[in-house]
Amino acid sequence: MDDLFHPLRVEVFPESGLIAPEQSTNRTARHLSDMRGMYQDTQATEAMIAAADPLLYQLYSADIPDAVPHLLFGTTILYPGKVGNEYFMTRGHYHQVENTAEVYYCLRGSGYILMERRDGQVSAHALERGQTVYIPPGWAHRSVNVGDEEFVFFYAYPGGAGHDYEAFDALGFRNLVVEREGQPAVVPNPRFG
Ligand code: M6P
Ligand code: ZN
């Protein structure tokens, strides 16, 4: 059926990250309760979930088949905030199909893109409006909002790539982004010992 898919144009609003028209768009929302165990400060996590279970981020994706040979795209809106001293972040994932890349283009705010490979190589790039990061095949990726407004970026990756979250169940990413003396700092994750 894929060859019956029609060309599509949508509007991406850089301030809000919304994509119009709505019927061409899917929305996903992640709250703190979807990320239990991922922040170092488990007490702060539970207290925040009990108080209000904040919305951490939303994704808008264009309604395109998630299969080869399509290119999936959309926006991520990551809200400002912290759990303990760790900034709000996405879950982070490898692609199930390792031989697939991704690109992020920042529309608003400021963040970090943490990346790492299964062999232990790590990378961290600050990302601000107008800047792009390329996520090569084999690199897991997590985004972190270090500003005081929404961090909004456009993403695109191959259909069928899939998301593999399991690698991070036990220890998380090798680097954390924390606030130190009022500034964001990329530090090693102490769970790696
Ligand atoms: C970006 C893309 C999506 C991903 C999202 C949130 O928008 O990489 O594929 O789903 O970030 O990241 P995660 O799925 O790791 O929570
Ligand atoms: Zn991805």
Side-chain angles (χ1 to χ4, degrees):
M1 291 305 116
D2 285 349
D3 48 357
L4 294 179
F5 198 76
H6 293 284
L8 173 72
R9 189 196 65 184
V10 297
E11 182 147 7
V12 177
F13 297 95
E15 286 300 304
S16 62
L18 289 171
I19 302 180
E22 238 175 78
Q23 57 271 31
S24 308
T25 310
N26 300 306
R27 187 181 80 97
T28 308
R30 295 242 167 86
H31 290 79
L32 185 54
S33 56
D34 300 315
M35 295 190 60
R36 277 205 157 85
M38 294 186 199
Y39 290 91
Q40 302 286 306
D41 192 334
T42 49
Q43 272 189 350
T45 302
E46 291 309 321
M48 287 173 73
I49 291 172
D53 193 14
L55 175 63
L56 303 190
Y57 58 102
Q58 301 199 77
L59 313 174
Y60 292 97
S61 54
D63 192 13
I64 289 169
D66 185 2
V68 174
H70 291 286
L71 186 62
L72 303 178
F73 69 88
T75 52
T76 305
I77 299 109
L78 186 50
Y79 294 98
K82 282 178 293 175
V83 179
N85 65 354
E86 260 181 292
Y87 296 97
F88 283 1
M89 62 191 183
T90 58
R91 284 181 73 183
H93 60 273
Y94 283 101
H95 290 166
Q96 279 166 333
V97 178
E98 289 259 329
N99 209 15
T100 54
E102 186 154 354
V103 68
Y104 287 172
Y105 175 65
C106 182
L107 301 170
R108 178 179 176 188
S110 62
Y112 270 83
I113 309 301
L114 297 177
M115 291 186 242
E116 63 182 61
R117 282 173 29 145
R118 294 191 196 269
D119 67 4
Q121 281 192 66
V122 295
S123 151
H125 281 94
L127 193 67
E128 296 195 339
R129 185 162 62 93
Q131 296 179 327
T132 299
V133 290
Y134 175 60
I135 301 160
W139 288 80
H141 34 290
R142 162 177 279 170
S143 27
V144 186
N145 185 350
V146 299
D148 50 19
E149 61 177 313
E150 283 102 313
F151 177 44
V152 181
F153 60 87
F154 179 90
Y155 67 85
Y157 65 94
H163 293 74
D164 171 8
Y165 298 103
E166 239 181 71
F168 305 105
D169 282 352
L171 300 174
F173 271 58
R174 287 168 187 270
N175 278 329
L176 311 175
V177 187
V178 298
E179 187 182 72
R180 285 247 171 110
E181 291 160 11
Q183 295 295 319
V186 179
V187 300
N189 178 352
R191 289 178 183 167
F192 280 81

